[in-house]
Structures are given as C-alpha cells and as structure tokens.
Amino acid sequence: MQCYAILIDTVSIQQYIFGSNKLKENLGASYIVSNIYERQLKNALRRVFSHQFNEDDFNRWRNDPDYIAFENGHPFEIAYIGGGNAMLLFKEKAKAEEFVREWTKLLLVEAPGLNTATAIGEFDTKEFDTSKKALFEILTMNKYRYAPLTTIPRHGITAECRRSGLSMDTYYPTEKTYISSVVNAKINAVAEAKQRMQEMFQDVLGDTYCFTDEIGKLGQKVGEDNYIAIVHIDGNSMADRFASQSSLEALRRLSKSVHEATIKSVKEMIRAIKNEKAMLTEFLGVECFNKEGDKEILPFRPIIIGGDDITFVSEGRLGIWLAEQFLKAFEKQTVTDKKPLDASAGVAITKTKYPFYRGYALSKQLCQSAKAKRRAKRRKINSKDSWIDFHITSGGVSGSLEQIRAQYVVSQGNLLMRPYCLNAERVEYDFETLKENLKILAKLPKNKIHEMREVLTLGENHTKMFVKDLEARGDDGKIPEIVDKNYRNSLFENSETPYFDMIELMEFYPGLKEA
C-alpha cells in the first residue's frame, strides 16, 4: 500500500540526559525522552485526527503486531517505536506534515532543549525494506541540514543558569532562585519518572524495595571515600538484526520481544540483589540497605531502559557484579528472530562526586571497547558472546579511553587484559576464570598483594624476584595459575598479565574472598 511515512529521532540524547551531575535531573530527562514517543506523540495525533483518534489504536502495534490499521480504514498507523526512534504511516501527506508541526510545538513546551529530527517520504509497505532505507537516508540528511532552536536564546541582560548555562527564565522555589526552563522541565518530571519505574518493576520490588533519586543513597558508607558505578550495556549486532527484517510485522515483533527481554533481564538483576542481600550487605559493610520510609532502597537505579540497551548507576563496588547479572539473564532470553542474544557492558567506577557526564561517557567507551574485543575474538556465529570491560579511578579521568589505557603499558607489557568474556573459549579472557583465580590471590597477605601491584609496574628482574620470594613461602605464597600459560614465571606472558586486573577487581566484586 502506498502511503507517507514519518521517521522521527532524537539528536544528542546522551548530552540531554547526562548533561547534569544531579541524578534527579538525569532521571527526569530520561523520562522526558521516553515520553516524546508516548504522551506527546499521542497528543499530537489527537490534535491532528480529533474524533478519529482512538486510544486503543495507539498501542495496538505492540499488542497485535500482525494487525495493519490501514487495512481497517484507519488514517494513520504506528509502524513501530523503539531503538530511539519511531516510524508512523499516514494516508495523506498533508496530515503527516500537520502531525510534525503539532508534535514539535508540544515538545517546545513540555521538553525544552531536546533536539529532534524528522523525515517525511513516500512509503510502499510491499517494498518495506527499500522504503525504510530511503527514509533513513532522508533522516540522516535532515540531521545535518537544520538544527532547530529549542530553548529561549540568551541575551546580554539575561543571567545564566549555573546548572545548564542557559537563560534563567523560571523561578525554582526549592532553592529560591531562577533556573532555565530546560532544568525546570527535568526536575518536574522526576516524581512521575520514579512512579513509572516503580510500577514497571512492582512485581519484583513488592512492598519491600524501592529505587532512589539520590546518588548518595545507593549503599555507600557515610564519611568515607565513596564510589558509584555507571554502567552502559548494549545488545550485540542488534542494528543488523533489525535491518534484516523484511516486513513491518516482523520488525514490530522483534522490537517488542527485544524490549521485553531487556525488562525481564532487569527483573532478574533485582531478584539477584534480593537473593544475595546478606552477602551484599556484608560486602558493603553496612547493616542494611538505606531506607526511604518503610522501604529499603536497592543499591542501583536504572536511568535509561530502551530496546536492547540500558544505563544504570549503582554503588561503585557492585557495578561489575550487576552488569554480569544482567548479561547472564539477557543471554537466557529468546526473541522472535530465534538468534542468540548477547550484549556488551562498560562499567565506569568513579568517585561519587565526579562529574556524572564524564563517567557516563567513559562507560560508553568501555562498552565500545568490549564490542571491539568481541569482534576481534569472534567465535561461532550462533554462540552467545557477552563481553564486559571496566575501569576504576580514584581521581579524575581525562582524555579518551585509548589515552587512559596507554598509561597502563609498562616495560614488560600491558597491565590490563580486560575486556573479558562471560563464555570465553580462550581461558585467559574468561571472566569466570578471572574470578576463580582471584579467590586464590585473595588468600595472600594484604602487604604482598600491595607489593605485587607495585612490582608489576617495574621490570622483569623485580617480578622474577617477587615470584621466588612467594615460592619460598610455600602454600602461603601461592598465586593462581592459568592452564597452558606461564604467567607465574615473571607474572607476564606475551606482554600481558592477568594479575593487575585481579588486584583491581578485589575490592569491587562481592563474594570473591571466600575460599
């Protein structure tokens, strides 16, 4: 069927969501972004079609992916919503253009500062794949062709909002000052965002647990150097899998099933926290999780859950463990194209007060590093291949991940072997092997572990002398070995060592010090 399609997308979404160091503003911004494809989309369609708009038709594409509204006399069709964009189909070009006008006007009021891009083109549902590719090409051109003004411009007489750098144009009574309309919109969205998140996971949270909007209530010890973990996880090769769908119905089914797989995996994370509460409480060194009213606060908080990707923040010492729980749960899910599911995770562990956006940017780079290692070590096409990379910093982080990692190259080679695979064929890159060896290493006296960390940065003579000293201690000086590898001789082999990763992980992974 010939029609007109609209493809809508967000621009610089990460900067919009993570441009603040306030968790509440990040959460509010994330909720606003999710709403532009829900409430604002629905309201714009209601304005365009008035009495012809039916609330049930808006979600029918999810509930019944094989239902084609055009075939039943409807003037528009929600093709799909997911992956950060949405596609709508209209019988009349004039209605499509009117929708864009109404939708963008709503965003100026309800989502100030959020930049979007749209594309309108003729669409043939029988030539779905070809038409979709042409529409995405138009969208790409439009992104570079025009940058809309979505905030009130600054003038010489306008004070600057210290949170956003935009014009102070809205009074904020809580702090008795003026802030920008962008920050105000994010703050106003927080309560609704928290309620929706609580409702989404109510079946596993029950009446006992809740999420927090405050970054300092994730389980950190009061009065000590505290860490948070910013975790970004993205499905592997999902863009190719979506692009390979040759029909609207198949694309809808895959989009829905991938989103459901992500939600189920987050629920499994929550169940893992509940099941391991005693162990985690002991590891964190607090009597119980923080409380909000009569509910216990979970030590992590989802920020973005969209399609095959998720970003969350947690107590710093739990970030890697939580990422692993998600990856394991995600691999167990099934989706409509019947191919195995796996994902890559980046875990940036920083001080609690470190600028949030920089930590998020680092987690994205770590996720890409994990994906790159996966491609380099790719195994059988149908094998599950989830990878995880992490970085722990007690100070500031400057430069790209590549520049940061260059500082970990010493005379004997690279101190870092990360990223690691959850199901690696090569044992030196296997995450389970890393954890098992860490249990052995953790039995060494603390002073020897500290000494090993320093020795690894020195030359070969120092590492060999250190190994001989440990051997003289007998069982008390036992360090882990890896099958078919000779890391114990000088702690390095082929310019690589697994021991630095073990030492760094020791304080940032629960349950490994038990024999």
Side-chain angles (χ1 to χ4, degrees), residues 404-453:
I404 294 169
R405 291 274 162 94
Q407 301 173 28
Y408 289 82
V409 178
V410 296
S411 59
Q412 282 185 269
N414 198 335
L415 292 171
L416 309 179
M417 290 188 67
R418 63 192 81 159
Y420 289 91
C421 181
L422 266 59
N423 309 286
E425 287 185 340
R426 290 181 58 180
V427 69
E428 65 267 38
Y429 298 120
D430 182 64
F431 194 63
E432 285 297 325
T433 301
L434 177 73
K435 293 189 298 180
E436 290 302 315
N437 283 330
L438 179 49
K439 290 181 181 180
I440 299 172
L441 188 68
K443 295 179 181 179
L444 287 178
K446 285 187 177 181
N447 67 314
K448 285 299 177 183
I449 294 173
H450 291 312
E451 185 181 348
M452 176 185 279
R453 184 185 181 112

Side-chain angles (χ1 to χ4, degrees), residues 53-71:
F53 177 79
N54 189 318
E55 188 87 17
D56 294 335
D57 292 335
F58 186 81
N59 292 312
R60 189 185 289 271
W61 73 273
R62 289 191 184 97
N63 302 327
D64 187 4
D66 294 324
Y67 178 84
I68 304 300
F70 278 169
E71 296 177 357

Side-chain angles (χ1 to χ4, degrees), residues 52-264:
Q52 290 180 291
F53 177 79
N54 189 318
E55 188 87 17
D56 294 335
D57 292 335
F58 186 81
N59 292 312
R60 189 185 289 271
W61 73 273
R62 289 191 184 97
N63 302 327
D64 187 4
D66 294 324
Y67 178 84
I68 304 300
F70 278 169
E71 296 177 357
N72 292 274
H74 293 268
F76 72 92
E77 176 97 42
I78 304 291
Y80 74 91
I81 300 172
N85 55 59
M87 183 188 294
L88 292 82
L89 307 179
F90 294 80
K91 285 187 176 180
E92 300 176 21
K93 185 178 182 180
K95 291 293 186 181
E97 293 173 341
E98 185 182 352
F99 166 80
V100 172
R101 288 194 296 270
E102 294 296 335
W103 184 67
T104 51
K105 280 193 294 184
L106 284 170
L107 294 187
L108 287 173
V109 176
E110 299 186 36
L114 181 62
N115 291 324
T116 58
T118 61
I120 301 179
E122 294 184 0
F123 201 93
D124 187 348
T125 55
K126 291 183 179 180
E127 299 291 335
F128 179 78
D129 194 43
T130 302
S131 298
K132 184 180 66 171
K133 287 180 180 178
L135 199 61
F136 268 95
E137 289 174 359
I138 297 172
L139 180 68
T140 301
M141 288 190 295
N142 288 349
K143 283 183 178 181
Y144 292 106
R145 186 174 293 172
Y146 175 64
L149 184 64
T150 58
T151 58
I152 298 174
R154 284 185 296 175
H155 302 285
I157 58 173
T158 308
E160 184 178 284
C161 172
R162 60 184 176 85
R163 296 190 183 198
S164 63
L166 301 170
S167 292
M168 277 184 170
D169 49 43
T170 306
Y171 185 69
Y172 184 39
T174 302
E175 296 183 3
K176 297 181 180 180
T177 186
Y178 282 87
I179 56 177
S180 69
S181 58
V182 173
V183 173
N184 186 63
K186 294 177 181 179
I187 293 173
N188 288 339
V190 170
E192 199 170 332
K194 186 174 183 178
Q195 181 180 348
R196 177 185 284 188
M197 191 65 67
Q198 197 76 17
E199 291 173 353
M200 186 182 297
F201 298 104
Q202 186 60 42
D203 57 330
V204 287
L205 295 174
D207 297 326
T208 306
Y209 297 96
C210 67
F211 297 113
T212 182
D213 296 333
E214 298 183 37
I215 208 165
K217 292 186 177 180
L218 291 168
Q220 302 99 318
K221 286 185 179 180
V222 178
E224 296 187 12
D225 281 345
N226 292 316
Y227 290 84
I228 60 168
I230 305 170
V231 183
H232 180 73
I233 303 176
D234 192 22
N236 292 325
S237 304
M238 292 306 300
D240 294 338
R241 291 169 69 164
F242 278 103
S244 67
Q245 304 305 301
S246 58
S247 70
L248 176 58
E249 297 91 331
L251 182 64
R252 286 173 168 177
R253 287 193 292 269
L254 182 60
S255 177
K256 179 184 178 182
S257 63
V258 169
H259 177 71
E260 289 175 347
T262 302
I263 296 297
K264 289 177 182 177

Side-chain angles (χ1 to χ4, degrees), residues 13-77:
I13 185 174
Q14 287 83 11
Q15 184 175 354
Y16 181 80
I17 294 176
F18 296 102
S20 170
N21 203 36
K22 304 280 188 181
L23 179 59
K24 285 187 177 182
E25 292 175 26
N26 302 143
L27 298 171
S30 177
Y31 181 70
I32 288 172
V33 171
S34 67
N35 245 351
I36 69 170
Y37 296 136
E38 292 292 334
R39 181 189 299 163
Q40 282 82 23
L41 205 66
K42 200 180 297 182
N43 288 340
L45 288 168
R46 188 178 284 111
R47 288 185 180 186
V48 173
F49 293 102
S50 186
H51 64 279
Q52 290 180 291
F53 177 79
N54 189 318
E55 188 87 17
D56 294 335
D57 292 335
F58 186 81
N59 292 312
R60 189 185 289 271
W61 73 273
R62 289 191 184 97
N63 302 327
D64 187 4
D66 294 324
Y67 178 84
I68 304 300
F70 278 169
E71 296 177 357
N72 292 274
H74 293 268
F76 72 92
E77 176 97 42

